Amino acid sequence: LSTLPMSPQIAKSLVMACILGCLDPILTLTSLLSQRTIFVSTLDRQAQADSAKMKLSCGYPSDHKTLLNAFNEWDSLQNGKDKEFAWRNFLSHSQLLKAKETRKQFRQLLSNASLVGNNKLVNNRHSTDWSVVKACLLAGLYPNVVRLDTTKKRTNMYDSSLGSVKVHPSSVLSKQINYVQFEQRWGMYSEKVRTVGGIFLYDFSQISPLAILLFSPQMKKIDSIHDILGFDHGYIN
């Protein structure tokens, strides 16, 4: 990590992506998370902006997946269609261009450090497995993890040190949280902000407890595996 001139959080995710073979999506996500958001907020067209973001999520209860989808769709277009796509979906074309350049720089740094080769198939052998991509992202984001309580009508979120927290209203989860069927009891986030209305989480995704077991440096402090995993008739919950 010391050979990579970037934040430790980004470096951890990128190194893990090199190991687990999901380089392209992690390059994209780390470049997007290292700068201002690509989503444009406009008061007079907020409903349309929210609708566009929900469409980009493709039904995933994940802000990170939404970011990835937005960048990939924009990046696949040429001859001015990319700029039109950004305008139509309330995305900042300039921030997307900046993220693309940062992505190239991250890729070059990994190559200079001999952490990645030129075989695209090997580098991305698990890039389509979203659970693996999220696990690599968690390697850098930890300890930004919260517990989900789905026993009540509305899903509640709890941070071990801060107590009750909420996803930010700009999150796709804020629109889905009343009806989405959460598959996991844990979530990760990119950053948190304390306001008079409470503590809000930005860029949230569900995460498997197995990913936390594998990538949490704090696991040695946990007395029992039951503290982080739930079991139902012998199966991991």
Side-chain angles (χ1 to χ4, degrees):
L1 294 179
S2 62
T3 63
L4 298 175
M6 60 185 70
S7 74
Q9 291 80 10
I10 289 175
K12 285 179 184 178
S13 289
L14 288 173
V15 169
M16 199 56 63
C18 294
I19 296 171
L20 297 183
C22 54
L23 182 62
D24 281 355
I26 293 298
L27 278 171
T28 299
L29 285 168
T30 52
S31 64
L32 290 168
L33 293 174
S34 65
Q35 63 178 45
R36 285 170 46 200
T37 180
I38 60 172
F39 294 105
V40 177
S41 180
T42 170
L43 292 176
D44 58 335
R45 301 182 65 193
Q46 192 59 53
Q48 295 96 313
D50 289 342
S51 177
K53 183 184 280 192
M54 288 297 296
K55 186 176 180 181
L56 288 169
S57 75
C58 297
Y60 280 85
S62 168
D63 294 311
H64 300 108
K65 184 68 170 178
T66 305
L67 281 168
L68 186 62
N69 290 342
F71 182 91
N72 287 343
E73 288 196 47
W74 168 83
D75 195 40
S76 68
L77 301 172
Q78 298 177 349
N79 302 322
K81 291 184 179 179
D82 52 350
K83 196 169 186 177
E84 178 186 348
F85 174 84
W87 179 84
R88 190 172 64 251
N89 288 278
F90 298 87
L91 302 172
S92 170
H93 186 64
S94 61
Q95 287 298 111
L96 285 162
L97 288 172
K98 182 180 178 181
K100 188 171 184 178
E101 183 58 32
T102 301
R103 190 181 187 280
K104 291 178 182 178
Q105 294 173 6
F106 285 170
R107 177 65 172 80
Q108 188 59 52
L109 288 169
L110 292 173
S111 181
N112 293 344
S114 299
L115 288 170
V116 63
N118 295 320
N119 191 323
K120 193 172 181 65
L121 289 177
V122 173
N123 294 340
N124 292 286
R125 60 192 182 276
H126 296 305
S127 286
T128 58
D129 190 329
W130 181 232
S131 61
V132 176
V133 174
K134 286 192 297 181
C136 289
L137 196 59
L138 173 70
L141 291 179
Y142 192 89
N144 292 359
V145 174
V146 294
R147 176 74 177 269
L148 307 181
D149 180 5
T150 60
T151 60
K152 300 179 175 62
K153 185 177 181 180
R154 179 181 177 85
T155 299
N156 295 311
M157 301 180 179
Y158 299 96
D159 182 277
S160 60
S161 59
L162 300 172
S164 180
V165 295
K166 296 176 278 190
V167 292
H168 191 267
S170 63
S171 169
V172 295
L173 269 294
S174 69
K175 315 298 186 300
Q176 299 172 333
I177 202 164
N178 285 327
Y179 60 86
V180 68
Q181 183 64 45
F182 285 96
E183 298 176 353
Q184 307 292 347
R185 296 185 298 116
W186 297 87
M188 62 178 176
Y189 61 93
S190 300
E191 61 177 318
K192 58 181 178 288
V193 175
R194 186 187 295 272
T195 71
V196 293
I199 300 172
F200 291 94
L201 310 179
Y202 284 85
D203 300 321
F204 182 89
S205 294
Q206 295 181 66
I207 189 68
S208 166
L210 292 178
I212 301 175
L213 277 170
L214 289 171
F215 298 114
S216 164
Q218 303 296 322
M219 283 309 300
K220 61 184 179 181
K221 297 180 180 180
I222 294 178
D223 296 328
S224 169
I225 194 172
H226 290 270
D227 291 342
I228 192 136
L229 294 180
F231 291 87
D232 184 12
H233 297 94
Y235 290 91
I236 296 174
N237 183 5

